[in-house]
Each structure stands twice: as structure tokens, then as C-alpha cells.
Amino acid sequence: MVLAERENLLAAGHRACPGCGAAIALRQILRALGRDTIVVSATGCVETFTSPYGMSAWEVPWIHSLFENSASVASGVQAALEFLQEKSSVVVISGDGGTFDIGMGAMSGMFERKQNITYICYDNEAYMNTGVQGSSATPYGSSTTTTPAGRASFGKIQHKKDMPAIALAHDVDYVATASIAYPQDLMKKVAKTKEIYGPKYIQVHTPCTIGWGFDSSKTIEIGKLAVETGLVPIYEVEKGKPMVVKKVKNKKPVMEYLKFQNRYRHLLKGEQKDIADQIQAICDKNIERFGI
Amino acid sequence: MIGAVCKAAGSLQYKTGTWRDNRPEVNDNCNGCGICETFCPDSCITIENKKCIIDYDYCKGCGICANECVRKAIVMREERK
Ligand SMILES: Cc1ncc(C[n+]2csc(CCOP(=O)(O)OP(=O)(O)O)c2C)c(N)n1
Ligand code: SF4
Ligand code: SF4
Ligand code: SF4
Ligand SMILES: [Mg+2]
């Protein structure tokens, strides 16, 4: 893989919160893709903080239409490029709400049509742009404004949807998970999509200082802990090849991860502590299932 | 349907450095490894002549660079207004 030396395709002056994980993801993703790329974004934080009118931070062609239809817009862009016999990577960059929930049907159609598009979900595990509402990517036990922890509840009751498995069920050509805390791995995976013709899905774990409640300097530290505890498995599946999983030598107890974040604060002591044990069980299951 | 088109990198007009409470300062421990550049969310670090250069017009003072630098070459100091 040849990456242009520290090429930066996300201009300064964008309006993400200080320490935003999604902004870090954008910089790494664009570096791996290079200039010959057309990006389609769904409504969400990334779309909002990069595109006040006249002040776009994008240095590649970029289009936004609605919250639910980024895969459909990308499908049209890709079909047009194909007709014109022009070669450019067509890439969707959408949040977890736009991917796991409202845009899932459009994405499924794009996968079914076997279109040559890379769909990247930056997963900050809730609807952040509208004030931290729970999505189907919000993890079990985490508190959001629509899954609030309190005397009557321990936070989100449902488990996180396994979106990469749903993508795999479409028999797409490439599925990977990644984290901004491991930029070389992330950029390698994104660069690989340029060599594969067909639909591809990458899910990038992007800690959010505001929605998760941690100090802006800790974004990468938290991202690492999510992987080191086994809560967020990092792997890739190339069609016809066995899954490759990122191994973790010294696994950490999930409490190390939870204790840094306000969204899990209610699990640290008292009667809801057994929910933390259940989150540890999710990690243990991941470690076994993926061979982490 | 309403559409709008605008030019690339127009965001540079907006100086996010005014948001900053804490200022990252680079010291002599820096060897230009570039870890901080990879992790800066705000595209305001460049590596020149093996040294980290911070663009204070845009740095929001998040502190990620200082937290991730393994050589402790960045220290955060309160911004004096
Ligand atoms: C059809 C529709 N419903 C609701 C909204 C309001 N809305 C805008 S952004 C957003 C949340 C996006 O969440 P996500 O995709 O996870 O991205 P994030 O903001 O977390 O980056 C919502 C609900 C909308 N723009 N369009
Ligand atoms: S709310 Fe979270 S994802 Fe949105 S800009 Fe702020 S830190 Fe980034
Ligand atoms: S991470 Fe530290 S040593 Fe490396 S370039 Fe940045 S300031 Fe210098
Ligand atoms: S404090 Fe944050 S915004 Fe400023 S240079 Fe460091 S990482 Fe970039
Ligand atoms: Mg989200």
C-alpha cells in the first residue's frame, strides 16, 4: 500500500467538538482513499460539522442529500461514473443512525445490486448530532437521552445490532471493522477497498467526547480500551478467505473502559453493578467467538 | 428541490483556534515521529524538519496530541486571554 505522505484532505476550520473521534476517522479515511474519491454523506455530525454553507472542509468531491438515502445517492453516482467509464472511488460516509437504522434498507439494496461502492459507517454509538438519542448501535447498558439510566432503568436494554454480520449476509466482497485508535490498520483496510470491485462495508469505532462523556484528550485512549477489553472486535473478511482478527495480548477488564465514561457512570457502583458484569460477559463471548 | 454547491476547503475562513482553553506547546523532546499528526482531529499539525508544528489559528486545544505523544514532547498550558 502506498499512501501519499501525510496527505490531508479534511481542511482545518471544521466545527467538530474538540477531540472528536469522527473527525479523526475522516482524516485517516481520506488519507487512505486519496484525491480520486467521491464521498456521499448522510445527515449527522460529520455532515454538519464539515459543511456550513460556503465553508466546506472537504478537499474531495462531496455530496449530501438526506439522512436515509446515502447508499441510494452513491448508487446513482457510481452508475453515472460507470456509464461515463470514469474511475473514481465512490464512498459513503455515514453515522451509525444513518447506517444501522434509517439507511439500512438503502444500503441493503446497494449491496444486493453488487455496486462498486465502499460504505463506511463511523460508529459513535448514538444519534449525536441531535443530542445523543439511542440507536441500534448503542451498546447494552449505556445511557442516552432516550435510554436514560435512573432508578427504573440501567440504560439501553437491547444489545448492539451486529451490522457487519448483516453486511456479510449479503455476500458482499469485503467487510471489516476498525478503530481510529489503530490508524495503520484502519488505513490499510480502507486502501484495500480500492482494489476490490463490488460492495464493501467498513465500520469504524469513533469515540464521541460529548455523547459518551469523557475528557477531550482521551479519545484515542478510550478507543484503544474498547478493543483491548474485547468489547469492540477488530477483524476483516475478504470474500472467499478466512476472517482475520486483531489479537489482543493483554486483555483488560471492561471496567477499565466503562469507568472513564459518563454514559456508564451508573454501573460503577450500587445495584446496577451486575449490568457491568453482563457487559464483561459480552466481551468474554467476543473473545471466544472471534479468537481475540 | 434546493441544491447548493461550494468550493473545497472554505472552512479555512473559520478560525477555530478561538475555541481553545488550553494550548499545546511542543518542547525539545519532539523527534517528529508524527503520532500527534495522525490523531489530531483538526488538521492543525504538520511535521516539518522532524519537528511538530502546531497551527494555533485552528487548534481547539483538545489535548489528544499531548496525551498520545510517547516522548512527552507536548505540554498543555492554560491559555492566557
Ligand atoms: C428523516 C430524518 N429524520 C431525522 C433527522 C434528524 N437527524 C439529523 S442528524 C440525526 C442523527 C444522526 O445520527 P448518526 O447517523 O448516528 O450520526 P451522528 O450524528 O451520531 O454522527 C438525526 C436524527 C433527519 N435529518 N432526517
Ligand atoms: S457530538 Fe461527538 S461525534 Fe458529534 S462532533 Fe461532537 S464529538 Fe464529534
Ligand atoms: S508525537 Fe510527540 S515526538 Fe512525535 S511528532 Fe508529535 S510531538 Fe513530536
Ligand atoms: S490540542 Fe488537539 S487540536 Fe490542538 S494540535 Fe493537539 S490534537 Fe490538534
Ligand atoms: Mg451516531
Side-chain angles (χ1 to χ4, degrees):
Chain A
M1 175 186 53
V2 187
L3 292 178
E5 182 74 15
R6 303 206 177 277
E7 186 174 32
N8 183 55
L9 297 172
L10 183 76
H14 67 69
R15 301 181 195 199
C17 310
C20 172
I24 298 172
L26 285 186
R27 294 190 61 239
Q28 297 177 1
I29 290 165
L30 291 174
R31 181 163 292 173
L33 289 169
R35 282 190 187 274
D36 204 0
T37 303
I38 298 174
V39 175
V40 181
S41 282
T43 314
C45 276
V46 160
E47 171 264 324
T48 310
F49 74 63
T50 59
S51 68
Y53 180 64
M55 298 195 193
S56 169
W58 297 88
E59 299 196 48
V60 297
W62 175 84
I63 181 170
H64 161 252
S65 164
L66 295 168
F67 189 19
E68 60 272 32
N69 67 352
S70 52
S72 310
V73 173
S75 295
V77 171
Q78 190 263 335
L81 287 178
E82 195 131 304
F83 179 78
L84 296 169
Q85 297 189 322
E86 281 188 27
K87 285 199 172 43
S88 252
S89 312
V90 180
V91 179
V92 174
I93 300 182
S94 167
D96 52 290
T99 305
F100 287 55
D101 293 335
I102 199 168
M104 194 173 89
M107 183 174 71
S108 176
M110 179 205 111
F111 288 162
E112 190 208 353
R113 293 188 297 272
K114 299 278 176 251
Q115 289 190 264
N116 185 26
I117 297 169
T118 300
Y119 192 112
I120 302 179
C121 170
Y122 66 95
D123 183 11
N124 54 21
E125 305 190 316
Y127 294 81
M128 296 312 181
N129 192 49
T130 40
V132 201
Q133 294 82 20
S135 77
S136 58
T138 302
Y140 180 74
S142 113
S143 186
T144 69
T145 54
T146 54
T147 64
R151 245 173 308 161
S153 169
F154 57 80
K156 178 120 179 282
I157 298 162
Q158 299 84 8
H159 287 255
K160 187 183 179 96
K161 188 187 279 179
D162 189 352
M163 200 61 222
I166 295 171
L168 275 171
H170 288 76
D171 194 30
V172 299
D173 295 86
Y174 184 74
V175 171
T177 61
S179 162
I180 55 162
Y182 300 92
Q184 298 310 322
D185 176 73
L186 188 156
M187 290 192 283
K188 206 169 102 195
K189 286 168 175 169
V190 173
K192 196 180 264 185
T193 62
K194 294 198 282 186
E195 314 298 324
I196 301 171
Y197 188 92
K200 288 129 323 210
Y201 178 74
I202 301 184
Q203 190 169 301
V204 183
H205 197 237
T206 56
C208 164
T209 61
I210 300 296
W212 300 9
F214 59 81
D215 184 83
S216 64
S217 65
K218 303 281 183 209
T219 309
I220 300 300
E221 217 175 305
I222 301 261
K224 274 199 189 120
L225 283 166
V227 174
E228 288 169 340
T229 54
L231 192 59
V232 174
I234 302 295
Y235 58 85
E236 69 175 343
V237 186
E238 262 182 86
K239 197 168 174 171
K241 292 189 189 167
M243 177 185 277
V244 179
V245 180
K246 178 175 174 53
K247 308 263 183 204
V248 177
K249 263 197 215 116
N250 300 313
K251 291 169 195 74
K252 301 206 167 132
V254 82
M255 202 43 112
E256 297 287 304
Y257 174 65
L258 306 182
K259 74 180 184 196
F260 273 119
Q261 305 173 53
N262 284 341
R263 64 175 176 159
Y264 292 118
R265 189 173 43 186
H266 54 290
L267 306 180
L268 301 187
K269 53 180 188 289
E271 48 197 74
Q272 291 179 339
K273 203 167 175 295
D274 63 315
I275 302 298
D277 297 337
Q278 291 188 41
I279 300 176
Q280 181 62 55
I282 296 171
C283 298
D284 296 342
K285 207 175 115 199
N286 281 343
I287 289 166
E288 202 193 305
R289 173 176 161 212
F290 292 97
I292 296 167
Chain B
M1 175 122 135
I2 299 173
V5 177
C6 56
K7 68 176 172 47
S11 60
L12 291 170
Q13 298 164 61
Y14 186 71
K15 303 274 171 80
T16 49
T18 57
W19 297 12
R20 191 173 57 242
D21 290 328
N22 294 295
R23 161 189 287 257
E25 287 178 359
V26 185
N27 62 37
D28 289 344
N29 294 341
C30 175
N31 69 351
C33 72
I35 292 174
C36 53
E37 190 277 341
T38 314
F39 290 131
C40 171
D42 290 293
S43 305
C44 51
I45 296 183
T46 45
I47 305 295
E48 285 165 35
N49 302 320
K50 301 216 166 128
K51 184 120 177 131
C52 157
I53 312 283
I54 296 174
D55 186 343
Y56 295 106
D57 278 350
Y58 299 101
C59 165
K60 295 173 188 162
C62 69
I64 291 177
C65 52
N67 205 54
E68 297 310 316
C69 173
V70 287
R71 299 177 67 88
K72 303 245 179 301
I74 301 182
V75 179
M76 301 300 293
R77 290 206 202 291
E78 202 176 327
E79 194 73 63
R80 265 162 289 176
K81 296 257 154 89

